[in-house]
Amino acid sequence: MRSNAGDVAVQRLTFPHARVAQVRIARPTERLDEVVKFYRDGLGLPELARFKNHDGYDGVMLGLPDATYHLELTQDSRGGPCPAPGADNLLVLYIPDASELASLCERLNRHGYRPVAPQNPYWLRNSVTFEDPDGWRVVLSNTHGI
């Protein structure tokens, strides 16, 4: 099933010399299970795929089914420290419906996650910021985006 909105998304992934089929945002973690719980159970992102011991890595992909983008979280089974994020390492989700944003905040609260103050004061306007177990921040912004 394809809508005009889906067609617009494909057009936006077309660069002058190539069409991008999919975008993956990948980042490491040392707390894979805890971080997956934040994004899957707290934020509500569906789990799209999971792998174990693939060249020494475990991982989970989360996102919106049939979307052209997803979040991949990986953990090196051999260990090793992950770089600590700064307070401005953000994943921003634009949620135009205020009641849906409030419902999502309530869901996160029920799972034990509490809002944190953003480093950039811009996000105080129309947004709520949460921090995952690794310290990466998710901004839920009550706007239509750019």
Side-chain angles (χ1 to χ4, degrees), residues 38-98:
F38 173 84
Y39 289 98
R40 184 193 59 211
D41 302 343
L43 200 53
L45 293 177
E47 187 172 313
L48 302 175
R50 174 180 289 262
F51 57 90
K52 186 109 175 120
N53 198 21
H54 183 271
D55 293 330
Y57 286 86
D58 298 336
V60 177
M61 287 167 252
L62 303 158
L64 304 174
D66 301 321
T68 56
Y69 46 84
H70 61 271
L71 175 64
E72 177 188 42
L73 302 163
T74 60
Q75 182 170 306
D76 187 338
S77 59
R78 296 162 293 199
C82 291
D88 264 341
N89 288 110
L90 308 173
L91 172 64
V92 180
L93 303 176
Y94 295 98
I95 303 169
D97 186 309

Side-chain angles (χ1 to χ4, degrees), residues 18-53:
R19 189 174 135 246
V20 177
Q22 194 173 61
V23 175
R24 175 183 296 180
I25 300 166
R27 74 164 182 84
T29 179
E30 294 173 354
R31 302 174 183 93
L32 186 61
D33 292 336
E34 292 173 58
V35 173
V36 167
K37 285 180 185 178
F38 173 84
Y39 289 98
R40 184 193 59 211
D41 302 343
L43 200 53
L45 293 177
E47 187 172 313
L48 302 175
R50 174 180 289 262
F51 57 90
K52 186 109 175 120
N53 198 21

Side-chain angles (χ1 to χ4, degrees), residues 90-107:
L90 308 173
L91 172 64
V92 180
L93 303 176
Y94 295 98
I95 303 169
D97 186 309
S99 65
E100 290 178 358
L101 184 131
S103 177
L104 191 50
C105 288
E106 289 172 19
R107 177 189 174 103

